[in-house]
Amino acid sequence: MSVNPQLDQLARPMRDLRISVTDRCNFRCTYCMPKEIFGDDYAFMPKEQLLSFEEITRAAKVYASLGVRKIRLTGGEPLLRRGLPELIRMLAAIPGIDDIGLTTNGLLLGGQAESLYHAGLHRVNVSLDALDPERFGRINGRGIQPSVIIANMERARSIGFEVRVNMVVQKGLNDQEIVPMAALFKKLGITLCFIEFMDVGNDNGWRMQQVMTKRDIFERLGGDAKLTPVSPRYPGEVSKRYRYRDGEGEVCFISSVSEAFCSSCTRVRLSSDGKMYSCLFASKGFDLRSLLRSGASDEQLLTAIRGVWEKREDRYSEERTEQTAMSRKKIGMSYIGG
């Protein structure tokens, strides 16, 4: 198999693989799976449509041979997938994979943290969008309290996990939480990442007027007087990092709307039913599951994956307008993975 990084049409290498292990979630966040659409009777994928752990691992080995070095497990809520530690053990054994992370809403993290850590997962991103109990309960659509999520984070940290908090910020919904969130996680020594509200999928009612930009948030935190930029740790790092000038902790920003980073994007996505997507804002994917289940060899899988990446020209965030955001059909966040 090839060991050279595979480049797309814009000379971007394939370095990061996002694997969605389930389309199910126990939250109904307004910006991802609003309960008006994903009601209690919503039909999620049957088990037989999901890739097995063996299929995921086989695909991941091929991606690694094309240059992938980092894997992140997503969903839906990945901790709803039974037996997840076994998948982590399988992925951690793949030659060339240097890092495995997981993004979670944190509700099940406390109970699973120990088994996940011993399986080889040592880094998690936890989504938390507010500290006010009423506001957070409304955002997550289930009335879950932020204290539960924070306690589970602390449990994970006590075991040895590196924890980062992700906060999606929307004007008029939770922008008043920016300063309290920053203060709390600075005190706790946890990096807080502010994420601009994005038009992923077609279900979250996205409008440009709701976007709290990186610049808006940066100024709300005190701007240059309080924060100083930190150099990227590796090529293609999505988040822009800043250190507090008093030396205590960091914050970071993912600014897909106001400061698009398409030109350096190295991410490829594999959905829970085995479709390969070359962009978070994709309208369609390549059916890898059919190849996996039809007896294709590893070389045939490699040829197919390479062929998709070689043709990749995606740069949606650089081309986005309010009109394209509303009119273009895009795969939902819970399906494609964050």
Side-chain angles (χ1 to χ4, degrees), residues 21-197:
V21 296
T22 180
D23 62 330
R24 297 173 184 269
C25 189
N26 43 11
F27 279 13
R28 289 296 179 269
C29 296
T30 54
Y31 55 82
C32 182
M33 295 177 68
K35 57 186 176 182
E36 295 80 9
I37 297 172
F38 296 87
D40 292 337
D41 59 348
Y42 185 82
F44 290 99
M45 288 182 214
K47 183 179 179 180
E48 61 270 16
Q49 289 188 18
L50 302 178
L51 290 184
S52 68
F53 290 171
E54 290 75 18
E55 289 170 332
I56 290 172
T57 302
R58 185 179 175 211
K61 287 178 180 177
V62 177
Y63 280 110
S65 74
L66 290 168
V68 163
R69 294 295 172 260
K70 298 177 64 178
I71 291 176
R72 176 164 292 278
L73 301 178
T74 70
E77 170 48 51
L79 298 187
L80 287 174
R81 182 75 186 257
R82 290 185 178 181
L84 196 62
E86 180 57 28
L87 174 61
I88 291 166
R89 275 189 284 270
M90 294 164 73
L91 295 174
I94 297 174
I97 297 302
D98 302 325
D99 180 78
I100 300 175
L102 180 143
T103 298
T104 175
N105 60 36
L107 186 60
L108 302 176
L109 181 60
Q112 297 189 28
E114 193 161 359
S115 60
L116 292 166
Y117 189 85
H118 291 307
L121 179 72
H122 299 151
R123 198 163 57 81
V124 293
N125 288 8
V126 179
S127 299
L128 182 68
D129 299 313
L131 296 178
D132 177 79
E134 189 279 330
R135 183 175 293 115
F136 182 60
R138 182 158 31 91
I139 291 172
N140 67 54
R142 296 298 198 208
I144 304 299
Q145 300 296 285
S147 57
V148 174
I149 309 305
I150 293 169
N152 285 340
M153 284 186 219
E154 292 292 76
R155 166 67 176 152
R157 293 179 78 201
S158 73
I159 292 170
F161 274 96
E162 175 189 339
V163 175
R164 189 178 86 172
V165 174
N166 289 345
M167 177 187 181
V168 176
V169 186
Q170 297 180 57
K171 283 183 181 176
L173 180 67
N174 65 337
D175 58 302
Q176 59 273 76
E177 297 273 352
I178 292 170
V179 173
M181 287 276 288
L184 174 64
F185 290 108
K186 181 175 186 287
K187 179 180 177 182
L188 293 177
I190 296 175
T191 296
L192 173 60
C193 188
F194 296 100
I195 302 175
E196 293 180 347
F197 179 38

Side-chain angles (χ1 to χ4, degrees), residues 29-34 36-38 42 197-207 210 280-284 316 320-336:
C29 296
T30 54
Y31 55 82
C32 182
M33 295 177 68
E36 295 80 9
I37 297 172
F38 296 87
Y42 185 82
F197 179 38
M198 293 181 285
D199 55 315
V200 182
N202 297 100
D203 299 324
N204 64 8
W206 185 89
R207 294 291 184 276
Q210 297 170 287
L280 178 60
F281 304 95
S283 298
K284 59 182 180 180
Y316 173 82
R320 175 197 289 108
T321 66
E322 186 135 19
Q323 183 57 40
T324 60
M326 290 188 290
S327 61
R328 174 169 164 166
K329 179 175 172 55
K330 300 185 290 294
I331 305 300
M333 173 76 88
S334 62
Y335 177 81
I336 199 171

